Amino acid sequence: MLRLLLVLSVMGPAIAHAQEVAVQRTVDRSPFNNIFGLGAYGTGWGGSYGGGGVGARIRIEPWAFVGVDLFGEALLVESPSGIRHDHPIGFNLYAPFRFGRARLKPLIGMCVTLSFIEPTEPNAPRADDVLVGAHAGAAFEFALHRRLSFFAEAKAVVWVGHDRSVMGWTGALDNTVQPFVVGQGNVGLMFHLGER
């Protein structure tokens, strides 16, 4: 019995150290230790108008405390004037707070949207516009593998642009610039590469 206690007292610290090393290796192999990432996601808008589509992003995270996502999206948007499709391009600037395999990222950013209305009548006039927007929100990200993570984010977006419409054979683009407010949700996957 004394020998068993002696063996356990010697092996206990060694087992504890091995467990700490295993945990540290798991943390070190996190996708969040990488500088670059490529992501794809589904997106949706609701508010002043609604829409849905897809997006892609390139992530650059040179330090553990700050990063930027450069993104492009393509959405079909509700419109009584015909088929409207919007194409935002912009960036998210974020500061991640890490909790083991997960992290929370408050974010801010800006974007420009090329917005097109395809009239239902052939040869009818168009009412296209360029919208400029700013957004703020938060993202949750969870590590699935040393190179892959899942993310979900919610943003409030304020666009500034012209009110416009296409009805039959007439098209109108209002002269005044006005704000449009939407909420946006994104869900997708990020592939990480380039360890720090």
Side-chain angles (χ1 to χ4, degrees), residues 127-177:
D128 301 334
D129 197 13
V130 176
L131 309 173
V132 177
H135 57 266
F140 171 79
E141 193 167 14
F142 184 78
L144 301 173
H145 179 265
R146 63 185 293 261
R147 295 250 181 243
L148 188 68
S149 65
F150 164 83
F151 67 90
E153 62 190 29
K155 299 189 281 190
V157 186
V158 179
W159 300 106
V160 178
H162 299 94
D163 198 13
R164 62 219 153 98
S165 63
V166 174
M167 295 292 179
W169 292 97
T170 63
L173 186 67
D174 195 44
N175 289 332
T176 60
V177 174

Side-chain angles (χ1 to χ4, degrees), residues 29-87:
R29 294 180 59 140
S30 168
F32 306 141
N33 293 337
N34 294 302
I35 298 172
F36 301 106
L38 301 171
Y41 56 96
T43 185
W45 288 344
S48 294
Y49 48 85
V54 295
R57 64 180 51 171
I58 297 171
R59 173 170 296 165
I60 304 165
E61 197 173 296
W63 303 283
F65 60 88
V66 68
V68 65
D69 292 325
L70 307 174
F71 65 83
E73 298 169 350
L75 295 98
L76 287 176
V77 178
E78 298 171 352
S79 174
S81 302
I83 298 171
R84 175 176 164 181
H85 50 101
D86 286 9
H87 304 276

Side-chain angles (χ1 to χ4, degrees), residues 8-28:
L8 288 177
S9 67
V10 170
M11 289 185 61
I15 292 171
H17 177 70
Q19 288 174 335
E20 286 176 19
V21 168
V23 167
Q24 188 61 42
R25 283 184 183 159
T26 301
V27 170
D28 291 345

Side-chain angles (χ1 to χ4, degrees), residues 82-122:
I83 298 171
R84 175 176 164 181
H85 50 101
D86 286 9
H87 304 276
I89 53 173
F91 71 91
N92 297 319
L93 181 65
Y94 63 87
F97 296 93
R98 191 163 161 185
F99 308 98
R101 295 184 57 174
R103 62 184 186 170
L104 182 66
K105 302 185 307 182
L107 58 90
I108 58 171
M110 294 188 71
C111 52
V112 173
T113 295
L114 305 174
S115 182
F116 306 99
I117 295 179
E118 307 288 345
T120 53
E121 299 290 334

